[in-house]
Amino acid sequence: MPETIPSQYKNSFEYGMDLALKKAAEFKGIGQFLENGVKNAVGMWFGVLPTVMAIGTLALLLANNTPIFEILGKPFLPLLELLQVPEAAEASKTMIVGFTDMFTPSIIAAEGIASEMTRFIVASVSVTQLIYLSEVGGLILGSKLPVKLWELFVLFLERTIISLIIICPLAHLIF
């Protein structure tokens, strides 16, 4: 779409209406619409499913058999302690693993965290992190969007910190 309105149009509304009508004229019927939708859904499903399973499995293996996420989670320890999260050291291990998959932090928390409040915080943060390499991140990286892996990771960290700042005080009110 050009940045300026072509000269044959009086205003942006007229130009937009013309573009919309041209697009609507290309519509080939509900059957074609549904067929394209099913093809798109199936393609995405089978394109993403192997990635989700591979990254999720790898994350669980690394989390359960190596100290990698414990080391990567150390920078979150002061923030968790400042927010008075019980079992902050255990919770810190779950913060970075959320980049790999949404469910892995909750699995780790269920196994190693006794505090109901901390498990609530871990589960809530893992849902709000939103950019999981196994799902959304994989789709974004596989799309035509000019986004790099490190940029996704920075967004993930920002969402994690903001989520902690909001969720922890709420958890103190609830528990």
Side-chain angles (χ1 to χ4, degrees):
M1 184 170 139
E3 291 185 26
T4 59
I5 301 168
S7 59
Q8 67 264 31
Y9 299 100
K10 295 177 186 166
N11 53 44
S12 59
F13 178 79
E14 185 180 337
Y15 180 50
M17 186 62 79
D18 187 48
L19 289 175
L21 290 171
K22 286 178 183 174
K23 194 63 157 169
E26 295 173 9
F27 183 66
K28 295 182 173 93
I30 192 74
Q32 184 66 38
F33 172 77
L34 292 174
E35 182 181 328
N36 288 341
V38 168
K39 283 181 185 176
N40 192 10
V42 169
M44 243 193 251
W45 182 260
F46 288 108
V48 172
L49 191 61
T51 305
V52 170
M53 292 189 312
I55 291 175
T57 303
L58 182 62
L60 271 176
L61 286 171
L62 289 173
N64 289 328
N65 299 310
T66 71
I68 188 77
F69 292 114
E70 183 176 339
I71 294 165
L72 293 174
K74 290 277 187 208
F76 284 95
L77 195 52
L79 177 60
L80 292 168
E81 288 173 346
L82 178 69
L83 294 169
Q84 299 175 350
V85 175
E87 299 181 69
E90 290 297 317
S92 70
K93 298 175 189 178
T94 67
M95 294 298 127
I96 295 294
V97 76
F99 187 59
T100 60
D101 187 68
M102 175 173 61
F103 300 111
T104 308
S106 295
I107 293 169
I108 293 169
E111 294 173 351
I113 296 176
S115 167
E116 290 287 324
M117 182 169 101
T118 306
R119 288 195 299 213
F120 170 80
I121 291 169
V122 168
S124 299
V125 169
S126 73
V127 170
T128 60
Q129 287 171 326
L130 200 62
I131 299 175
Y132 321 109
L133 200 55
S134 63
E135 297 159 14
V136 176
L139 285 173
I140 291 172
L141 291 173
S143 73
K144 295 176 185 175
L145 293 172
V147 179
K148 296 175 181 61
L149 180 62
W150 72 268
E151 293 171 322
L152 282 179
F153 188 68
V154 169
L155 286 172
F156 168 82
L157 289 176
E158 289 172 348
R159 289 187 68 88
T160 302
I161 292 167
I162 291 167
S163 294
L164 280 170
I165 292 170
I166 294 169
I167 291 169
C168 289
L170 290 173
H172 283 287
L173 288 173
I174 295 169
F175 293 92

